[in-house]
Amino acid sequence: MEQIFETGTIAYEGKDSQTPLAFRFYDRDRMVGDKPMKDHLRFSMSYWHTMTGGGDDPFGSATMQRQWDGTADPMALSRKRADAAFEFMTKLGLDYFCFHDVDVSPESDDLARREDNLDRMADVLEEKMAQTGIRLLWGTTNAFSHPRFVHGASTSCNADVFAYAAAQVKKAMDVTHRLGGENYVFWGGREGYETLLNTDTALELDNLGRFLTMAAEYKEKIGFKGQLLIEPKPKEPTKHQYDFDTATVIGFLRKYGLEDHFKINIEANHATLAGHSFEHELNMARINGMLGSIDANQGDPQLGWDTDQFPSDLYMAVAAMIEVLKNGGIAPGGLNFDAKLRRPSMKPDDLFHGYVLGMDTYARALEIAHRILEDGVFEEFVARRYRSWTEGIGRQIRDGAVGFEELAAYARTNPALDQESGRQEYLEGILNRYI
Ligand code: XLS
Ligand code: CA
Ligand code: CA
């Protein structure tokens, strides 16, 4: 087939390479611990930012120069993008991709037509997946862009919109299942509200719970084995998003009895928008057995919105990989680059630079995190810091052997508290030595 991108296959050349487009750290088959890098990282292409995003922002239109620009027929455009997507992933050695229905096939106001478009494009994707061995990390539906979702999808005031969103999710789940998708994602989109003056939050939350219950039931019905994931985000587009952060989502899932059906897809930029660190969100999901997958990007510390940048922050990536390794890996999730180029980075080869940046950042972070855990320095420190909980009164508290009365009696016998330093600066110095 004719090549769409001028850029050739990207090779691993090591950290001293002078080639502008080469991997300096991502060496896919290199073993780190018990697995090759590629199996630790499970990198994925986001179809929306990579193949359909144009660089438009609230002040200006698209800037990106793409080989498929000017293809007027919507189905022909979708096919051209699919050709480009698989060429791009193959050249980068990306093993996975993720998509919203509308990224891969033309939108239509006529639901039957919309579904038919998606089926026809699924034929195309299925064939390309078989040819290349590239797999689907997750599918999802876009239930936030179309004006029908102005008041939300499953949390709309209008029950007809709830039904429409259900039809969309049903179809997107069918196609994800058909393509062997390993997960299915629910990002809240417009599932939130602007003002209590016009909103019944109790009904909206119940409806969100009902909607996700139906999704879990439908998954069982069709025998879809993939993991269902919820992706938290605190703002954009609505002021109060119902899926604000990991802790909020876990509370929500438990309230509606859904905690065994869903895990969390954590996006770095969403974590920081919520006022958390990325690793905090990963940690909260991990300790609750709910770490599902990752959208690997980063925000800008000076801008308060979802900038979706390619990840370059090594400290953040190392902290994230420590959580992933402690989780025993991220599979069946992966590291999806939900990241877009800056508007002035408009040339096709900038796309390659974005992915190489992200993949090298995480490959390096994986190796560093692996060494940190092997050396066990922080874990040893933490274990020592909490040693009062392994014996004596600490052990009795954990065993449920004492209550307030016994503790009050104990406290009276033990007035001199011996406090140790938390030594944050010392520990940060150690971390620096690894990075
Ligand atoms: C938007 C989200 C979205 C989800 C998939 O901010 O990141 O792209 O990942 O709908
Ligand atoms: Ca995302
Ligand atoms: Ca985002």
Side-chain angles (χ1 to χ4, degrees):
M1 198 195 295
E2 212 185 301
Q3 298 285 289
I4 295 174
F5 293 99
E6 280 171 23
T7 306
T9 299
I10 313 293
Y12 169 72
E13 294 189 5
K15 77 174 187 351
D16 299 322
S17 165
Q18 298 300 311
T19 313
L21 264 173
F23 292 117
R24 285 167 176 77
F25 300 96
Y26 183 58
D27 183 7
R28 45 185 285 124
D29 294 315
R30 173 142 92 237
M31 295 298 285
V32 178
D34 60 346
K35 280 190 290 222
M37 275 190 169
K38 66 172 181 355
D39 294 346
H40 279 286
L41 296 164
R42 297 168 58 86
F43 287 139
S44 163
M45 182 195 82
S46 63
Y47 216 100
W48 51 105
H49 288 314
T50 314
M51 293 299 143
T52 66
D56 48 314
D57 72 10
F59 304 95
S61 51
T63 56
M64 305 292 170
Q65 299 161 15
R66 297 292 179 253
Q67 293 84 335
W68 46 91
D69 290 344
T71 311
D73 172 61
M75 271 315 264
L77 176 60
S78 290
R79 284 209 190 82
K80 188 120 199 213
R81 282 191 175 127
D83 291 341
F86 281 81
E87 182 188 321
F88 183 74
M89 291 188 277
T90 304
K91 285 180 164 172
L92 278 159
L94 289 161
D95 296 319
Y96 293 92
F97 68 110
C98 299
F99 66 79
H100 303 82
D101 41 13
V102 299
D103 306 329
V104 298
S105 65
E107 182 63 289
S108 170
D109 279 336
D110 172 358
L111 194 52
R113 175 78 181 272
R114 187 181 192 281
E115 294 185 351
D116 184 55
N117 288 345
L118 185 53
D119 281 333
R120 281 156 62 205
M121 281 311 297
D123 294 339
V124 173
L125 297 175
E126 194 170 41
E127 198 186 316
K128 290 181 180 297
M129 290 168 73
Q131 281 163 3
T132 57
I134 291 169
R135 288 177 282 163
L136 178 60
L137 186 67
W138 49 262
T140 188
T141 190
N142 180 327
F144 43 89
S145 295
H146 194 283
R148 86 171 53 84
F149 301 114
V150 58
H151 303 302
S154 70
T155 64
S156 175
C157 47
N158 183 341
D160 286 347
V161 176
F162 183 105
Y164 204 100
Q168 278 194 203
V169 169
K170 175 182 175 297
K171 185 68 194 173
M173 216 187 266
D174 287 338
V175 169
T176 301
H177 179 38
R178 173 183 160 191
L179 296 177
E182 299 186 25
N183 304 271
Y184 184 91
V185 162
F186 294 83
W187 164 58
R190 294 183 194 274
E191 310 294 36
Y193 71 97
E194 302 299 329
T195 172
L196 287 173
L197 296 176
N198 65 13
T199 305
D200 182 343
T201 50
L203 178 62
E204 290 198 1
L205 279 160
D206 283 351
N207 284 344
L208 182 55
R210 287 186 184 101
F211 193 91
L212 295 174
T213 304
M214 290 181 200
E217 285 165 359
Y218 187 66
K219 174 193 146 153
E220 294 304 318
K221 179 146 195 223
I222 62 174
F224 173 49
K225 296 278 177 274
Q227 175 65 51
L228 301 180
L229 299 170
I230 306 232
E231 182 179 326
K233 183 176 181 180
K235 45 187 154 183
E236 291 182 40
T238 78
K239 177 171 163 65
H240 298 285
Q241 293 279 144
Y242 291 129
D243 50 3
F244 187 94
D245 64 359
T246 298
T248 309
V249 168
I250 291 175
F252 170 88
L253 290 172
R254 289 187 181 151
K255 175 173 178 193
Y256 292 98
L258 290 164
E259 67 272 30
D260 295 334
H261 299 282
F262 289 83
K263 288 189 173 175
I264 320 277
N265 180 40
I266 294 176
E267 179 176 316
N269 204 162
H270 298 181
T272 51
L273 284 178
H276 299 304
S277 65
F278 183 26
E279 62 268 30
H280 166 85
E281 286 290 88
L282 295 169
N283 181 272
M284 286 298 115
R286 176 174 70 78
I287 65 169
N288 283 289
M290 286 200 169
L291 178 52
S293 196
I294 287 177
D295 276 2
N297 64 7
Q298 69 187 37
D300 182 299
Q302 281 82 48
L303 301 174
W305 63 89
D306 192 17
T307 59
D308 284 337
Q309 289 168 230
F310 281 93
S312 63
D313 181 338
L314 195 53
Y315 277 85
M316 185 193 255
V318 167
M321 287 315 296
I322 288 176
E323 288 300 321
V324 168
L325 291 175
K326 283 189 174 174
N327 194 55
I330 194 71
L335 265 62
N336 171 46
F337 291 108
D338 190 352
K340 64 183 181 214
L341 297 170
R342 298 309 85 197
R343 192 165 180 264
S345 305
M346 76 280 279
K347 301 282 186 192
D349 67 335
D350 286 312
L351 276 175
F352 286 87
H353 282 289
Y355 276 81
V356 169
L357 170 66
M359 292 162 82
D360 266 349
T361 299
Y362 270 92
R364 207 170 157 195
L366 165 66
E367 290 203 303
I368 294 169
H370 176 71
R371 257 189 289 131
I372 289 175
L373 291 179
E374 275 214 320
D375 292 354
V377 269
F378 300 110
E379 274 158 323
E380 240 170 66
F381 187 92
V382 172
R384 212 168 43 246
R385 187 162 181 244
Y386 289 90
R387 67 187 181 281
S388 71
W389 293 91
T390 58
E391 56 191 10
I393 196 69
R395 185 73 257 170
Q396 288 176 304
I397 295 171
R398 289 171 79 183
D399 291 345
V402 289
F404 268 12
E405 283 159 329
E406 292 81 3
L407 290 174
Y410 173 84
R412 277 196 293 273
T413 68
N414 186 29
L417 291 176
D418 183 18
Q419 293 285 33
E420 287 173 4
S421 170
R423 297 219 189 285
Q424 181 169 335
E425 299 74 9
Y426 160 74
L427 295 168
E428 286 171 349
I430 296 181
L431 179 63
N432 263 357
R433 279 181 248 154
Y434 279 89
I435 292 181

